[in-house]
Amino acid sequence: MHRLLFVFLAAAGASVLGLPGLNASAGAGPCLAPLQWEGRWVLYDHSTGRNSRAAVSYDGLNQRIRVLQQHKKHTPCQKFFEYIYLYQSMVMFQIDQKTKDCSKIALTDTWDPFDIPDNSTFEDQYFIGGPGDNVEVQEWSDRKPARQHETWVGVYTMKDCYPVQETYTRNSSVTTSTRFFNLQLGISDPDVFTPPGTCQSARPERMPESDC
């Protein structure tokens, strides 16, 4: 599971709906999620009601993530950024997509991959979609017998263990949900994790997300 979520955005998501699985079970335990993939996500911040869409490159082998926010013309004054998280160096680069201005900020959270931890609790198994056009998934959480409510729920595909949705509850007022889609195995361009030349003189503070 993944807890960087996310120093930069307040964001997007929705609940995953599906048909209940028959005779669902945890089987041999959680599946092993891919270590490298590219795709898109929608991050939703329940406390603000804000959504963010982005293209994502995920490299679990080298503990790094690149997030490229998608432009939305219907959001006046909105600035769009590229974020490069380098957890082995514990730094994050925030790059303005238009001006290429760059901020370099120290990361405080440790690396937490998109996966299902071995000590997770099996919750459910079901199909997303309708007959003939569905995907079988399993749902896991960090719920334990001594604690009634979970703080993380992850939904992963049965076939290849790709993430479908992750939901985090920080406290009673902060919850984020992330939906993943259009995922492809591997990293097509490793250079996306290399900050541009403007980051050689990066500012130490974050840039605002709006011009207004």
Side-chain angles (χ1 to χ4, degrees):
M1 71 183 160
H2 196 275
R3 289 194 178 89
L4 45 81
L5 286 170
F6 258 119
V7 193
F8 66 96
L9 344 115
S15 58
V16 174
L17 302 178
L19 300 175
L22 299 178
N23 300 320
S25 67
C31 58
L32 297 177
L35 290 175
Q36 293 181 322
W37 50 260
E38 294 178 322
R40 296 168 60 197
W41 73 28
V42 179
L43 182 63
Y44 174 64
D45 189 318
H46 296 247
S47 63
T48 64
R50 293 181 60 193
N51 299 292
S52 283
R53 298 176 179 270
V56 181
S57 298
Y58 170 78
D59 182 6
L61 287 174
N62 298 292
Q63 299 184 358
R64 54 190 185 175
I65 298 177
R66 183 255 198 165
V67 178
L68 185 66
Q69 289 182 301
Q70 293 184 320
H71 291 257
K72 294 183 292 184
K73 296 181 180 179
H74 57 278
T75 52
C77 306
Q78 180 72 37
K79 299 175 70 175
F80 294 91
F81 296 98
E82 174 185 4
Y83 295 87
I84 301 174
Y85 295 83
L86 304 176
Y87 276 85
Q88 292 183 349
S89 302
M90 291 302 291
V91 295
M92 182 269 283
F93 293 93
Q94 178 194 26
I95 303 109
D96 188 306
Q97 292 187 31
K98 183 177 181 180
T99 66
K100 301 304 178 182
D101 288 343
C102 181
S103 294
K104 181 180 179 180
I105 301 166
L107 292 171
T108 56
D109 293 333
T110 58
W111 171 254
D112 190 3
F114 286 112
D115 66 1
I116 308 170
D118 290 337
N119 62 350
S120 299
T121 299
F122 175 77
E123 297 288 353
D124 204 353
Q125 183 171 320
Y126 48 84
F127 291 95
I128 298 174
D133 187 17
N134 53 48
V135 176
E136 190 172 14
V137 299
Q138 282 190 345
E139 183 176 301
W140 297 79
S141 79
D142 64 352
R143 179 175 56 85
K144 297 294 182 285
R147 186 178 69 228
Q148 182 177 1
H149 301 294
E150 63 275 356
T151 62
W152 166 81
V153 177
V155 180
Y156 282 73
T157 62
M158 283 284 293
K159 182 177 182 294
D160 295 311
C161 206
Y162 282 108
V164 175
Q165 176 165 322
E166 286 200 348
T167 299
Y168 281 87
T169 302
R170 303 294 184 185
N171 53 51
S172 59
S173 62
V174 180
T175 301
T176 57
S177 297
T178 308
R179 289 186 296 119
F180 305 83
F181 50 98
N182 292 350
L183 301 190
Q184 299 289 331
L185 190 62
I187 302 297
S188 60
D189 181 10
D191 288 341
V192 298
F193 300 105
T194 302
T198 53
C199 289
Q200 293 181 0
S201 57
R203 66 187 73 186
E205 69 279 352
R206 294 177 59 83
M207 289 176 278
E209 297 183 4
S210 174
D211 287 325
C212 298

Tab-separated table of all heavy atoms in Angstrom, residues 9 11-14 40-45 50-54 56 70 164-166 176-181:
chain	number	residue	atom	x	y	z
A	9	LEU	N	-1.448	17.343	-3.970
A	9	LEU	CA	-2.772	17.644	-4.475
A	9	LEU	C	-3.857	17.300	-3.480
A	9	LEU	O	-3.707	16.447	-2.672
A	9	LEU	CB	-3.110	16.856	-5.731
A	9	LEU	CG	-2.103	16.151	-6.556
A	9	LEU	CD1	-2.317	14.676	-6.543
A	9	LEU	CD2	-2.281	16.643	-7.962
A	11	ALA	N	-7.665	15.839	-4.299
A	11	ALA	CA	-7.720	15.076	-5.483
A	11	ALA	C	-8.928	14.212	-5.700
A	11	ALA	O	-9.928	14.458	-5.133
A	11	ALA	CB	-6.503	14.239	-5.483
A	12	ALA	N	-8.751	13.104	-6.514
A	12	ALA	CA	-9.909	12.532	-7.136
A	12	ALA	C	-10.123	11.095	-6.836
A	12	ALA	O	-9.247	10.402	-6.459
A	12	ALA	CB	-9.807	12.688	-8.627
A	13	GLY	N	-11.290	10.624	-7.068
A	13	GLY	CA	-11.546	9.230	-6.845
A	13	GLY	C	-13.018	9.013	-6.795
A	13	GLY	O	-13.797	9.912	-6.871
A	14	ALA	N	-13.403	7.758	-6.651
A	14	ALA	CA	-14.783	7.390	-6.514
A	14	ALA	C	-14.782	6.011	-5.945
A	14	ALA	O	-13.786	5.339	-5.928
A	14	ALA	CB	-15.498	7.411	-7.866
A	40	ARG	N	-2.599	6.029	-15.519
A	40	ARG	CA	-3.244	7.257	-15.064
A	40	ARG	C	-3.953	6.990	-13.751
A	40	ARG	O	-4.301	5.853	-13.437
A	40	ARG	CB	-4.237	7.762	-16.111
A	40	ARG	CG	-3.596	8.168	-17.423
A	40	ARG	CD	-4.656	8.383	-18.493
A	40	ARG	NE	-5.597	9.433	-18.114
A	40	ARG	CZ	-6.797	9.613	-18.693
A	40	ARG	NH1	-7.182	8.802	-19.651
A	40	ARG	NH2	-7.581	10.582	-18.311
A	41	TRP	N	-4.143	8.081	-12.997
A	41	TRP	CA	-4.969	7.947	-11.802
A	41	TRP	C	-5.817	9.188	-11.601
A	41	TRP	O	-5.571	10.240	-12.179
A	41	TRP	CB	-4.148	7.621	-10.567
A	41	TRP	CG	-3.298	8.718	-9.972
A	41	TRP	CD1	-3.486	10.069	-10.003
A	41	TRP	CD2	-2.097	8.511	-9.218
A	41	TRP	NE1	-2.485	10.717	-9.330
A	41	TRP	CE2	-1.626	9.799	-8.823
A	41	TRP	CE3	-1.383	7.387	-8.813
A	41	TRP	CZ2	-0.472	9.966	-8.068
A	41	TRP	CZ3	-0.241	7.566	-8.060
A	41	TRP	CH2	0.202	8.827	-7.703
A	42	VAL	N	-6.848	9.019	-10.784
A	42	VAL	CA	-7.676	10.128	-10.326
A	42	VAL	C	-7.636	10.086	-8.804
A	42	VAL	O	-7.969	9.068	-8.192
A	42	VAL	CB	-9.132	10.015	-10.818
A	42	VAL	CG1	-9.955	11.184	-10.289
A	42	VAL	CG2	-9.191	9.977	-12.334
A	43	LEU	N	-7.203	11.179	-8.201
A	43	LEU	CA	-7.097	11.280	-6.754
A	43	LEU	C	-8.166	12.224	-6.234
A	43	LEU	O	-8.303	13.345	-6.723
A	43	LEU	CB	-5.700	11.786	-6.378
A	43	LEU	CG	-5.364	11.917	-4.899
A	43	LEU	CD1	-5.395	10.563	-4.207
A	43	LEU	CD2	-3.975	12.540	-4.746
A	44	TYR	N	-8.909	11.763	-5.254
A	44	TYR	CA	-10.034	12.530	-4.713
A	44	TYR	C	-9.822	12.756	-3.228
A	44	TYR	O	-9.582	11.806	-2.472
A	44	TYR	CB	-11.339	11.781	-4.945
A	44	TYR	CG	-12.547	12.420	-4.307
A	44	TYR	CD1	-12.987	13.680	-4.707
A	44	TYR	CD2	-13.271	11.758	-3.309
A	44	TYR	CE1	-14.109	14.264	-4.129
A	44	TYR	CE2	-14.394	12.337	-2.729
A	44	TYR	CZ	-14.803	13.594	-3.141
A	44	TYR	OH	-15.901	14.168	-2.565
A	45	ASP	N	-9.875	14.021	-2.806
A	45	ASP	CA	-9.772	14.378	-1.396
A	45	ASP	C	-11.184	14.596	-0.858
A	45	ASP	O	-11.852	15.557	-1.240
A	45	ASP	CB	-8.921	15.635	-1.239
A	45	ASP	CG	-8.604	15.936	0.213
A	45	ASP	OD1	-9.507	15.800	1.066
A	45	ASP	OD2	-7.452	16.295	0.507
A	50	ARG	N	-12.121	17.991	-3.926
A	50	ARG	CA	-11.348	18.301	-5.129
A	50	ARG	C	-10.808	17.029	-5.768
A	50	ARG	O	-10.437	16.070	-5.089
A	50	ARG	CB	-10.191	19.235	-4.779
A	50	ARG	CG	-10.635	20.623	-4.347
A	50	ARG	CD	-9.426	21.483	-4.032
A	50	ARG	NE	-8.549	21.631	-5.188
A	50	ARG	CZ	-7.321	22.116	-5.102
A	50	ARG	NH1	-6.829	22.483	-3.936
A	50	ARG	NH2	-6.573	22.224	-6.204
A	51	ASN	N	-10.752	17.047	-7.099
A	51	ASN	CA	-10.236	15.940	-7.888
A	51	ASN	C	-8.985	16.379	-8.640
A	51	ASN	O	-8.893	17.520	-9.086
A	51	ASN	CB	-11.262	15.480	-8.926
A	51	ASN	CG	-12.542	15.003	-8.286
A	51	ASN	OD1	-12.557	13.976	-7.623
A	51	ASN	ND2	-13.621	15.747	-8.483
A	52	SER	N	-8.041	15.463	-8.797
A	52	SER	CA	-6.884	15.708	-9.667
A	52	SER	C	-6.637	14.473	-10.520
A	52	SER	O	-6.657	13.348	-10.016
A	52	SER	CB	-5.628	16.018	-8.847
A	52	SER	OG	-5.656	17.333	-8.352
A	53	ARG	N	-6.399	14.714	-11.798
A	53	ARG	CA	-6.103	13.637	-12.747
A	53	ARG	C	-4.652	13.762	-13.187
A	53	ARG	O	-4.159	14.876	-13.385
A	53	ARG	CB	-7.032	13.699	-13.956
A	53	ARG	CG	-8.508	13.518	-13.597
A	53	ARG	CD	-9.413	13.673	-14.808
A	53	ARG	NE	-10.801	13.473	-14.425
A	53	ARG	CZ	-11.423	12.295	-14.439
A	53	ARG	NH1	-10.754	11.214	-14.858
A	53	ARG	NH2	-12.664	12.177	-14.067
A	54	ALA	N	-3.984	12.640	-13.365
A	54	ALA	CA	-2.568	12.700	-13.713
A	54	ALA	C	-2.134	11.438	-14.431
A	54	ALA	O	-2.702	10.363	-14.250
A	54	ALA	CB	-1.725	12.892	-12.446
A	56	VAL	N	0.953	8.799	-14.616
A	56	VAL	CA	1.840	8.341	-13.550
A	56	VAL	C	2.823	7.309	-14.088
A	56	VAL	O	2.451	6.420	-14.866
A	56	VAL	CB	1.028	7.720	-12.391
A	56	VAL	CG1	1.961	7.268	-11.272
A	56	VAL	CG2	0.002	8.707	-11.866
A	70	GLN	N	-2.855	16.527	-15.319
A	70	GLN	CA	-3.522	16.766	-16.587
A	70	GLN	C	-4.218	18.115	-16.575
A	70	GLN	O	-4.850	18.505	-15.589
A	70	GLN	CB	-4.545	15.659	-16.865
A	70	GLN	CG	-3.910	14.304	-17.120
A	70	GLN	CD	-4.960	13.273	-17.479
A	70	GLN	OE1	-6.035	13.230	-16.910
A	70	GLN	NE2	-4.629	12.433	-18.444
A	164	VAL	N	-6.377	-1.067	-8.447
A	164	VAL	CA	-7.618	-0.522	-9.002
A	164	VAL	C	-8.040	0.706	-8.207
A	164	VAL	O	-8.401	1.731	-8.763
A	164	VAL	CB	-8.740	-1.573	-8.991
A	164	VAL	CG1	-10.055	-0.967	-9.454
A	164	VAL	CG2	-8.369	-2.767	-9.859
A	165	GLN	N	-7.990	0.583	-6.896
A	165	GLN	CA	-8.334	1.710	-6.032
A	165	GLN	C	-7.686	1.525	-4.667
A	165	GLN	O	-7.573	0.415	-4.162
A	165	GLN	CB	-9.844	1.845	-5.848
A	165	GLN	CG	-10.222	2.968	-4.876
A	165	GLN	CD	-11.683	3.343	-4.948
A	165	GLN	OE1	-12.269	3.369	-6.026
A	165	GLN	NE2	-12.273	3.634	-3.815
A	166	GLU	N	-7.238	2.646	-4.093
A	166	GLU	CA	-6.772	2.658	-2.711
A	166	GLU	C	-7.443	3.818	-1.993
A	166	GLU	O	-7.554	4.916	-2.537
A	166	GLU	CB	-5.250	2.789	-2.621
A	166	GLU	CG	-4.517	1.518	-3.003
A	166	GLU	CD	-3.081	1.490	-2.465
A	166	GLU	OE1	-2.604	2.538	-1.997
A	166	GLU	OE2	-2.467	0.403	-2.521
A	176	THR	N	-8.637	10.115	1.491
A	176	THR	CA	-8.314	10.236	0.075
A	176	THR	C	-8.569	8.908	-0.618
A	176	THR	O	-8.326	7.842	-0.042
A	176	THR	CB	-6.850	10.647	-0.152
A	176	THR	OG1	-5.993	9.693	0.484
A	176	THR	CG2	-6.584	12.033	0.384
A	177	SER	N	-9.066	8.978	-1.836
A	177	SER	CA	-9.291	7.791	-2.653
A	177	SER	C	-8.578	7.986	-3.993
A	177	SER	O	-8.654	9.064	-4.584
A	177	SER	CB	-10.786	7.554	-2.899
A	177	SER	OG	-11.466	7.314	-1.685
A	178	THR	N	-7.902	6.945	-4.439
A	178	THR	CA	-7.188	6.992	-5.712
A	178	THR	C	-7.656	5.859	-6.600
A	178	THR	O	-7.626	4.701	-6.194
A	178	THR	CB	-5.664	6.864	-5.498
A	178	THR	OG1	-5.232	7.811	-4.528
A	178	THR	CG2	-4.925	7.095	-6.812
A	179	ARG	N	-8.115	6.191	-7.819
A	179	ARG	CA	-8.499	5.189	-8.811
A	179	ARG	C	-7.410	5.104	-9.865
A	179	ARG	O	-6.902	6.125	-10.331
A	179	ARG	CB	-9.836	5.551	-9.467
A	179	ARG	CG	-11.041	5.397	-8.555
A	179	ARG	CD	-12.340	5.634	-9.326
A	179	ARG	NE	-12.457	6.984	-9.838
A	179	ARG	CZ	-12.553	7.300	-11.129
A	179	ARG	NH1	-12.505	6.362	-12.057
A	179	ARG	NH2	-12.684	8.556	-11.497
A	180	PHE	N	-7.059	3.901	-10.266
A	180	PHE	CA	-6.014	3.656	-11.260
A	180	PHE	C	-6.644	3.082	-12.528
A	180	PHE	O	-7.553	2.245	-12.451
A	180	PHE	CB	-4.993	2.648	-10.723
A	180	PHE	CG	-4.382	3.038	-9.399
A	180	PHE	CD1	-5.038	2.773	-8.210
A	180	PHE	CD2	-3.141	3.662	-9.351
A	180	PHE	CE1	-4.469	3.118	-6.987
A	180	PHE	CE2	-2.567	4.008	-8.142
A	180	PHE	CZ	-3.238	3.733	-6.960
A	181	PHE	N	-6.138	3.487	-13.712
A	181	PHE	CA	-6.676	2.944	-14.950
A	181	PHE	C	-5.650	3.087	-16.079
A	181	PHE	O	-4.662	3.814	-15.947
A	181	PHE	CB	-8.011	3.602	-15.328
A	181	PHE	CG	-7.999	5.108	-15.300
A	181	PHE	CD1	-7.818	5.839	-16.460
A	181	PHE	CD2	-8.186	5.789	-14.107
A	181	PHE	CE1	-7.820	7.217	-16.446
A	181	PHE	CE2	-8.186	7.181	-14.079
A	181	PHE	CZ	-8.005	7.894	-15.243
